[in-house]
Amino acid sequence: MGDVAKDLAAGTVGGAAQLIVGHPFDTIKVKLQSQPTPLPGQPPRYSGAFDAVRQTLAAEGPGGLYKGMGAPLATVAAFNAVLFTVRGQMESLVRSHPGAPLTVNQQFVCGAGAGVAVSFLACPTELIKCRLQAQSALAGTGTAAVTVKYGGPMDVARQVLRSEGGVRGLFKGLLPTMGREIPGNAIMFGVYEALKQQFAGGTDTSGLSQGYLIVAGGLAGASFWGIVYPTVVIKSVLQVDDYKNPKYFGSFDAFRKIKATEGFKGLYKGFGPAMGRSVPANAACFLAYEMTRSALG
């Protein structure tokens, strides 16, 4: 139980660091993903990431970049506790003997196992976050996500529970969430361990400096998004879709329609902000986790 408590504490600190650094990038990503397809001959609402930042600051001020942070901030402890604790317990299961260093392949397995667990926390949390972030981007489209005018995270949860099928409504987008979290965390933790071992010149990575940990964490985070990004777009459009008059009827229908109307580039809307977020946010997360875990012994 000592290791579980340490993973819980270190994961919480790491998650808080990740959220503070990364949330503005995430806000812009969701706005780009969820903006309506422009009519023929008309420009999109946002011409790109920098235009989305400019319009958000002009209309909402700096606080607009942190809109929707209440839901992930409230659950960051639980999310990262599950992620790092399940990963830690998976490490205990796959080790050949206590204290044995893990191979990169074993870290892939541990990351995938952690991804299964966190999917069930990530899905409802991100549905709430996406609804709040997408309100201004969807203005004028007549969708429920706009006309409801959510007052905050708890208001989103209440209205979804009341009018979108109860608890099931909060898990809209679970399939693409798992399609992101399982392979994404497998790749991320595998790459993180591979880079640490490369920098250390062996399996003992305990002596690595903070600079190496920052580089390994940042590149590991980039590998996460580079592999699974289309599932993120599909999840976002499903979660902000109108419940009573849906545009999409499941993940595969969303994939087909996005590809048909926007081509493959439609599956990479917001990719720039996501990658821009992933490097500093995950560097902050892994560094904070490692430092806290080391301090706890």
Side-chain angles (χ1 to χ4, degrees):
M1 289 301 296
D3 286 339
V4 172
K6 291 172 185 177
D7 283 332
L8 166 62
T12 301
V13 174
Q18 181 185 52
L19 187 65
I20 292 168
V21 171
H23 193 80
F25 294 93
D26 196 51
T27 297
I28 298 305
K29 171 179 69 71
V30 171
K31 287 194 171 191
L32 290 173
Q33 290 172 347
S34 58
Q35 64 178 322
T37 303
L39 296 174
Q42 293 187 354
R45 172 159 188 170
Y46 305 113
S47 60
F50 289 107
D51 185 49
V53 171
R54 181 184 61 79
Q55 291 194 42
T56 300
L57 290 174
E60 306 172 58
L65 295 173
Y66 284 91
K67 184 173 288 185
M69 196 173 79
L73 185 61
T75 57
V76 66
F79 183 91
N80 285 278
V82 171
L83 179 67
F84 285 98
T85 302
V86 171
R87 172 180 170 247
Q89 295 305 298
M90 290 286 293
E91 288 179 348
S92 299
L93 291 174
V94 301
R95 277 195 175 96
S96 57
H97 59 274
L102 295 181
T103 66
V104 172
N105 287 339
Q106 287 173 323
Q107 285 289 2
F108 273 98
V109 173
C110 294
V116 173
V118 299
S119 294
F120 291 93
L121 286 175
C123 186
T125 300
E126 293 188 8
L127 182 140
I128 293 170
K129 180 190 68 175
C130 286
R131 292 286 178 93
L132 292 171
Q133 289 175 329
Q135 281 192 117
S136 59
L138 292 171
T141 65
T143 63
V146 174
T147 57
V148 163
K149 296 294 184 183
Y150 301 117
M154 293 305 296
D155 188 40
V156 177
R158 280 194 299 268
Q159 296 200 40
V160 170
L161 289 170
R162 184 174 66 242
S163 61
E164 298 188 26
V167 174
R168 181 178 179 181
L170 290 174
F171 285 89
K172 187 177 185 179
L174 179 61
L175 181 61
T177 300
M178 296 185 77
R180 179 193 68 186
E181 293 294 336
I182 297 172
N185 279 295
I187 293 293
M188 182 174 70
F189 283 111
V191 168
Y192 182 63
E193 187 63 28
L195 288 171
K196 288 203 303 178
Q197 292 186 13
Q198 180 68 30
F199 294 149
T203 57
D204 183 6
T205 61
S206 60
L208 286 177
S209 68
Q210 293 182 11
Y212 282 123
L213 294 177
I214 289 172
V215 172
L219 292 177
S223 70
F224 181 114
W225 292 106
I227 296 296
V228 301
Y229 194 78
T231 65
V232 180
V233 175
I234 292 170
K235 178 193 72 68
S236 293
V237 300
L238 287 176
Q239 291 186 328
V240 300
D241 200 11
D242 189 343
Y243 176 73
K244 294 182 179 178
N245 186 29
K247 181 178 179 180
Y248 306 107
F249 297 91
S251 300
F252 294 105
D253 184 56
F255 172 84
R256 181 180 59 81
K257 288 179 177 175
I258 293 171
K259 180 176 175 294
T261 58
E262 304 176 56
F264 279 108
K265 69 178 183 179
L267 294 167
Y268 285 88
K269 285 190 297 186
F271 183 70
M275 291 299 287
R277 169 192 179 275
S278 68
V279 174
N282 283 284
C285 178
F286 277 107
L287 177 62
Y289 171 81
E290 295 281 12
M291 291 179 66
T292 305
R293 192 68 172 82
S294 176
L296 293 174

